[in-house]
Amino acid sequence: MIGDPKTGTLQHARIEGVGHEGLSCSAVDGRPLEFALLDPTTGEIVEHGPHVAQEAFNVARQVYRNVMKGQGWLRVLSEPAPLTARKAA
């Protein structure tokens, strides 16, 4: 885990991360793409859209912050809001 992580492994898309903007993705021809979470068994799209990229970025950033603060919490969980909060939104 120490050292630079390997990137450039996708064949048909690019993922870009900017510290103050978050994550974005595009096809190699420049068309914008969006992030999606898929069920590995059925291939069903569970969630997709810009909010998926933002959530992934926020989780990654919190893991990094926890390591830098020396808290030792290497796992950060992102869970759906309680049903009552989702209905109000």
Side-chain angles (χ1 to χ4, degrees):
M1 273 276 260
I2 297 189
D4 293 333
K6 182 177 171 92
T7 61
T9 61
L10 302 178
Q11 295 179 24
H12 306 287
R14 294 183 182 116
I15 297 176
E16 180 178 351
V18 180
H20 63 282
E21 294 175 4
L23 302 174
S24 62
C25 56
S26 62
V28 291
D29 64 5
R31 289 177 294 122
L33 300 173
E34 63 181 27
F35 287 85
L37 299 175
L38 304 175
D39 181 309
T41 305
T42 65
E44 175 187 3
I45 297 174
V46 178
E47 293 218 31
H48 67 92
H51 67 285
V52 174
Q54 186 62 51
E55 189 71 10
F57 180 73
N58 290 346
V59 168
R61 185 169 55 184
Q62 191 62 49
V63 168
Y64 176 75
R65 287 175 50 85
N66 289 349
V67 169
M68 292 294 102
K69 290 191 284 187
Q71 292 178 323
W73 301 331
L74 299 181
R75 184 176 312 266
V76 172
L77 300 176
S78 168
E79 299 184 29
L83 285 177
T84 53
R86 281 188 262 160
K87 288 179 184 175

